[in-house]
Amino acid sequence: MTLKVLLDVMSQPSRAVSIFCRAAQIPHEFKAIRVAKMEHHGPEFQALNPLKTVPIINDDGFVVKDSSAILRYLTTTRKDVPDHWYPRDPEGQARIDEYLHWQHLNTRAGCAMYFRTKWLMPMLKQSPADEGKVEARLKTMEDALAKVQNIWLEDGKKKYLVGDAVSVADIMLCCEMEQPLVAGYDVRQKWPKLGEYMDRVKKDLHPHYEDVHKVLYGMYEKFSIKAKL
Amino acid sequence: MTLKVLLDVMSQPSRAVSIFCRAAQIPHEFKAIRVAKMEHHGPEFQALNPLKTVPIINDDGFVVKDSSAILRYLTTTRKDVPDHWYPRDPEGQARIDEYLHWQHLNTRAGCAMYFRTKWLMPMLKQSPADEGKVEARLKTMEDALAKVQNIWLEDGKKKYLVGDAVSVADIMLCCEMEQPLVAGYDVRQKWPKLGEYMDRVKKDLHPHYEDVHKVLYGMYEKFSIKAKL
């Protein structure tokens, strides 16, 4: 049975899984779960994932319900996936895992919460953003971005997070860094070295990166607030 | 060269790594890094981990700097570690990885931030806790604990997070759930099924669990505020 990938392209980890499956040429069937329409709370989805989070995969009855766990499961079970995506040696794996675990409370908490506080919640509630909270989220995000640029990418000396080629860690990172754009914060403008890095990863992932980001970029065009940096 | 494990027993992920190394009988040399004395910001530690986080390991020159990445690296490189700690089959690994990734923004963000807002920051600043923030942290923590009990442990039907024996995921979870105790929140009292589960894991990890928690329990005796549930 074909691998089923259930996700919402409005979610960053969902986009990462989608880009990876396409770029690594893993045969799969895509099923859209629209979070805005609460489809992830429906009985059919909940039976597969009671945590009600996207993305998930269904591999012939075996369900995996976290983006990082999915990425590793796929590289472990699909032997013909090239090693640069998620190396099989323990040292290379540790380097990827370090980033995938670090990002939750840093890049992810920073970028996702900034977007949510600055744009999503005010839009849903039709009321102005709480500027105190926005400032706090901005600080978390910028602390994380500074660490990504200065430590993880060694002030731009490293081309990729791990090794000499694009990996699942780069996909996860870039998808997070796209998110604040809708809320008017363009990572590329404020952090030129991160911008160069993103362009490099985007090129390696062409045309999948742009394809999967189409809906987000559409939202940016339609709804975004003017960038203030 | 013996594996070096650098950590602070006041940090939950540090305790988890320490308990695992002892319980799985992995030969290692322990080095205390006292966060309260800012030793993780010192040049010697920073040269190993510029992110300045504990725990880290140094395996004959190869440094791994995240607790979950460490746990996997050790089970991958130490072939005689029994499989129940971190299964080697892709399905078993995916089940462990799902929890280790989920916990960052749930159990960890909940328990650690509650402890910090309710007890640590007021103690350091010598000023009362911000009750609004404490309430918000309490909510995050209780949402996570409810999901652990009802979903991850299937309302107490499951004995362990993954499979039929204790794993690294159980160690990580129990170390987080010990943390709010110092701030007066005893998980065992409010969530009896989590209490039974913790007792089971504690028994499996005897005497390492108690040994590694000695300093935390000492703090509880010395500083804790009276439990209010």
Side-chain angles (χ1 to χ4, degrees):
Chain A
M1 217 164 74
T2 318
L3 172 77
K4 285 189 180 60
V5 179
L6 294 83
L7 51 80
D8 184 341
V9 289
M10 283 310 297
S11 113
Q12 308 93 288
S14 284
R15 291 198 298 273
V17 167
S18 180
I19 292 168
F20 171 70
C21 287
R22 288 163 176 244
Q25 297 180 305
I26 295 174
H28 66 283
E29 195 177 284
F30 166 69
K31 185 170 167 24
I33 302 294
R34 281 160 301 181
V35 169
K37 293 193 173 176
M38 298 297 281
E39 289 176 357
H40 59 317
H41 283 239
E44 202 184 329
F45 188 80
Q46 263 202 69
L48 296 174
N49 180 13
L51 291 170
K52 305 173 204 162
T53 54
V54 286
I56 64 170
I57 58 166
N58 186 347
D59 189 21
D60 209 3
F62 185 74
V63 176
V64 187
K65 47 184 179 292
D66 167 89
S67 55
S68 300
I70 290 169
L71 294 168
R72 179 141 82 102
Y73 172 83
L74 289 175
T75 48
T76 311
T77 53
R78 272 63 179 174
K79 303 292 178 198
D80 52 347
V81 168
D83 210 54
H84 66 87
W85 291 110
Y86 205 139
R88 270 112 179 156
D89 66 293
E91 288 78 12
Q93 290 217 340
R95 288 284 164 267
I96 299 275
D97 290 342
E98 282 175 337
Y99 179 74
L100 293 183
H101 282 286
W102 180 82
Q103 53 95 23
H104 292 285
L105 287 164
N106 293 279
T107 340
R108 176 151 181 73
C111 296
M113 288 308 286
Y114 177 79
F115 162 75
R116 198 180 155 86
T117 315
K118 176 86 184 178
W119 188 85
L120 187 64
M121 295 316 288
M123 191 271 288
L124 292 175
K125 290 182 178 172
Q126 290 291 303
S127 64
D130 176 332
E131 284 306 324
K133 278 191 184 168
V134 170
E135 278 305 306
R137 304 308 188 196
L138 181 67
K139 191 184 174 312
T140 306
M141 179 168 75
E142 296 204 321
D143 282 352
L145 294 174
K147 281 181 184 148
V148 168
Q149 182 168 291
N150 301 331
I151 300 176
W152 288 98
L153 294 172
E154 292 176 10
D155 196 30
K157 281 198 285 291
K158 280 173 71 182
K159 285 189 167 177
Y160 299 97
L161 279 171
V162 177
D164 301 322
V166 67
S167 75
V168 297
D170 297 304
I171 305 181
M172 287 288 272
L173 169 54
C174 289
C175 287
E176 286 301 335
M177 293 197 298
E178 292 285 353
Q179 196 63 19
L181 192 65
V182 179
Y185 187 101
D186 187 345
V187 170
R188 286 182 171 88
Q189 280 183 39
K190 178 135 185 188
W191 309 82
K193 286 176 187 169
L194 292 183
E196 285 167 29
Y197 160 79
M198 287 176 82
D199 289 340
R200 185 178 306 126
V201 172
K202 197 171 172 175
K203 203 173 157 194
D204 290 332
L205 298 170
H206 178 77
H208 315 294
Y209 193 92
E210 298 88 333
D211 281 354
V212 174
H213 278 91
K214 215 170 262 175
V215 178
L216 185 80
Y217 293 157
M219 276 192 68
Y220 173 60
E221 294 298 324
K222 197 170 169 189
F223 295 115
S224 73
I225 56 181
K226 206 168 167 58
K228 272 189 287 183
L229 293 174
Chain B
M1 218 166 73
T2 318
L3 172 76
K4 285 189 182 59
V5 179
L6 294 83
L7 51 79
D8 183 341
V9 289
M10 284 309 298
S11 112
Q12 307 93 289
S14 285
R15 291 199 298 273
V17 167
S18 180
I19 292 169
F20 171 70
C21 287
R22 288 164 177 241
Q25 297 180 306
I26 295 174
H28 67 284
E29 197 177 282
F30 166 69
K31 186 169 165 24
I33 303 295
R34 281 161 302 181
V35 169
K37 292 193 174 177
M38 298 296 280
E39 289 175 0
H40 59 316
H41 283 239
E44 203 184 329
F45 189 80
Q46 262 202 70
L48 296 173
N49 180 13
L51 291 170
K52 304 174 205 162
T53 54
V54 286
I56 63 169
I57 59 166
N58 186 346
D59 190 21
D60 211 3
F62 186 74
V63 176
V64 186
K65 47 185 180 290
D66 168 90
S67 55
S68 300
I70 290 170
L71 294 168
R72 178 141 82 103
Y73 173 82
L74 289 176
T75 48
T76 311
T77 53
R78 272 61 180 176
K79 303 292 176 197
D80 52 349
V81 169
D83 209 54
H84 66 87
W85 292 111
Y86 206 139
R88 271 117 179 151
D89 66 292
E91 288 80 10
Q93 291 217 343
R95 288 283 164 266
I96 298 275
D97 290 342
E98 281 175 337
Y99 179 75
L100 293 183
H101 282 287
W102 179 82
Q103 53 96 25
H104 292 285
L105 287 164
N106 293 278
T107 341
R108 178 153 179 71
C111 295
M113 289 308 287
Y114 177 78
F115 161 75
R116 199 181 154 85
T117 315
K118 175 86 182 178
W119 188 84
L120 186 65
M121 295 316 288
M123 191 270 290
L124 292 175
K125 290 183 178 170
Q126 290 290 304
S127 65
D130 177 331
E131 286 306 324
K133 278 191 184 167
V134 171
E135 278 306 306
R137 305 308 188 195
L138 181 68
K139 192 184 173 312
T140 307
M141 178 168 74
E142 295 204 320
D143 283 352
L145 293 173
K147 280 180 185 148
V148 169
Q149 181 168 293
N150 301 331
I151 300 176
W152 288 98
L153 294 171
E154 291 175 11
D155 196 30
K157 282 199 282 293
K158 280 173 71 181
K159 286 188 167 179
Y160 300 97
L161 279 170
V162 178
D164 301 321
V166 66
S167 75
V168 297
D170 297 303
I171 305 181
M172 287 289 271
L173 169 54
C174 288
C175 287
E176 286 301 334
M177 292 199 296
E178 291 285 352
Q179 196 65 17
L181 192 65
V182 179
Y185 188 101
D186 187 346
V187 170
R188 286 181 170 88
Q189 282 184 38
K190 179 136 186 191
W191 309 81
K193 286 176 187 170
L194 292 183
E196 284 168 30
Y197 161 77
M198 286 176 84
D199 288 341
R200 185 179 307 125
V201 173
K202 197 171 172 175
K203 203 173 157 193
D204 289 333
L205 299 170
H206 177 76
H208 314 294
Y209 192 91
E210 297 89 332
D211 281 354
V212 173
H213 278 92
K214 216 170 261 175
V215 177
L216 186 80
Y217 292 158
M219 277 192 67
Y220 174 59
E221 294 299 324
K222 199 171 166 188
F223 296 113
S224 72
I225 56 179
K226 207 167 165 56
K228 273 189 286 182
L229 293 173

